[in-house]
Amino acid sequence: MDINLAHESAQRTLKQRNMLAVVCAVLAVLLVFVFGIANTKDREVVLQPILSSEMVVSSSSLTKEYLEAVTRDTAHLALNRSPESLDYWMDQLVAMASPQRRGELKRELIGIVEDQRGSQVSQYITIDWIRTDPEGLTSEVGGVLHTVVGSREVRREHKIFGFEWEYSGLSLQLKSFGVVQKKPEGEA
């Protein structure tokens, strides 16, 4: 009698093992099929909806065109502000900053927000030119900075703004930006 019970138990165990082997084989075939689909599917990265030409982003280097497009958009974000958009302005600049610079940048921007909140002072830039240096991860923007109080323009100055970037993997992040001080003529 014990031999019959042992035989039945062994048969049940063999059926379970065989069923598990069939399930594993089916899963392995499905896994190969999914990997095949994933490897043959085209990969696309949409950088911005307003680019005039195709742009390739590589982890090995940064293209001049990409740095120029990011500089243009960052300059517009950083230099166009009004009392109504201060919180959004600050949050977006802090979000694009490198992690090591976020705290310091946020402290600086909070000072600007506190000074400008409740006022009627707005500013915007009209860009004349952009220069980029992908190897040095720097860029400059020249343009007229307009200051408006209420609905009246009170100042219009041509200024140059410099941007320093950090590039890691496929991530371009802002290290610093500000007005570029030109040296007086005759100084080296």
Side-chain angles (χ1 to χ4, degrees):
M1 189 75 179
D2 288 335
I3 293 176
N4 287 339
L5 287 175
H7 180 68
E8 286 178 21
S9 177
Q11 290 300 316
R12 270 195 310 259
T13 303
L14 284 174
K15 283 182 183 178
Q16 289 175 351
R17 182 202 66 187
N18 291 343
M19 183 74 80
L20 184 60
V22 168
V23 169
C24 286
V26 169
L27 289 176
V29 168
L30 284 174
L31 186 64
V32 168
F33 180 70
V34 168
F35 275 122
I37 289 174
N39 285 333
T40 59
K41 190 168 176 97
D42 290 337
R43 294 184 183 124
E44 295 179 38
V45 175
V46 177
L47 297 175
Q48 299 176 28
I50 56 172
L51 295 175
S52 60
S53 63
E54 231 177 78
M55 236 181 251
V56 176
V57 178
S58 167
S59 60
S60 63
S61 66
L62 185 63
T63 64
K64 185 175 180 76
E65 294 81 15
Y66 180 64
L67 183 57
E68 183 173 331
V70 171
T71 298
R72 178 198 64 220
D73 293 346
T74 303
H76 280 291
L77 175 66
L79 303 172
N80 295 342
R81 68 175 184 259
S82 67
E84 295 84 13
S85 66
L86 288 174
D87 292 326
Y88 174 80
W89 170 78
M90 180 176 65
D91 292 342
Q92 294 305 305
L93 284 173
V94 170
M96 69 176 24
S98 67
Q100 299 84 5
R101 178 81 169 102
R102 283 188 183 142
E104 182 182 344
L105 178 63
K106 187 161 186 172
R107 279 191 300 277
E108 293 171 11
L109 296 178
I110 286 173
I112 294 170
V113 167
E114 288 174 355
D115 288 343
Q116 196 172 354
R117 192 176 305 279
S119 73
Q120 294 184 351
V121 178
S122 299
Q123 74 175 31
Y124 67 96
I125 189 166
T126 51
I127 296 175
D128 297 333
W129 54 265
I130 297 175
R131 287 190 199 115
T132 61
D133 177 14
E135 287 79 35
L137 294 174
T138 60
S139 51
E140 288 185 338
V141 174
V144 177
L145 186 65
H146 304 265
T147 304
V148 178
V149 176
S151 61
R152 186 172 155 244
E153 185 173 75
V154 295
R155 187 181 308 159
R156 161 182 251 201
E157 298 178 272
H158 193 279
K159 292 193 173 202
I160 299 171
F161 297 89
F163 296 84
E164 288 185 50
W165 303 95
E166 182 177 293
Y167 190 60
S168 176
L170 293 174
S171 177
L172 182 63
Q173 297 175 322
L174 186 63
K175 281 176 62 176
S176 67
F177 71 96
V179 177
V180 175
Q181 301 294 331
K182 292 297 182 185
K183 294 180 183 176
E185 289 187 33
E187 278 190 34

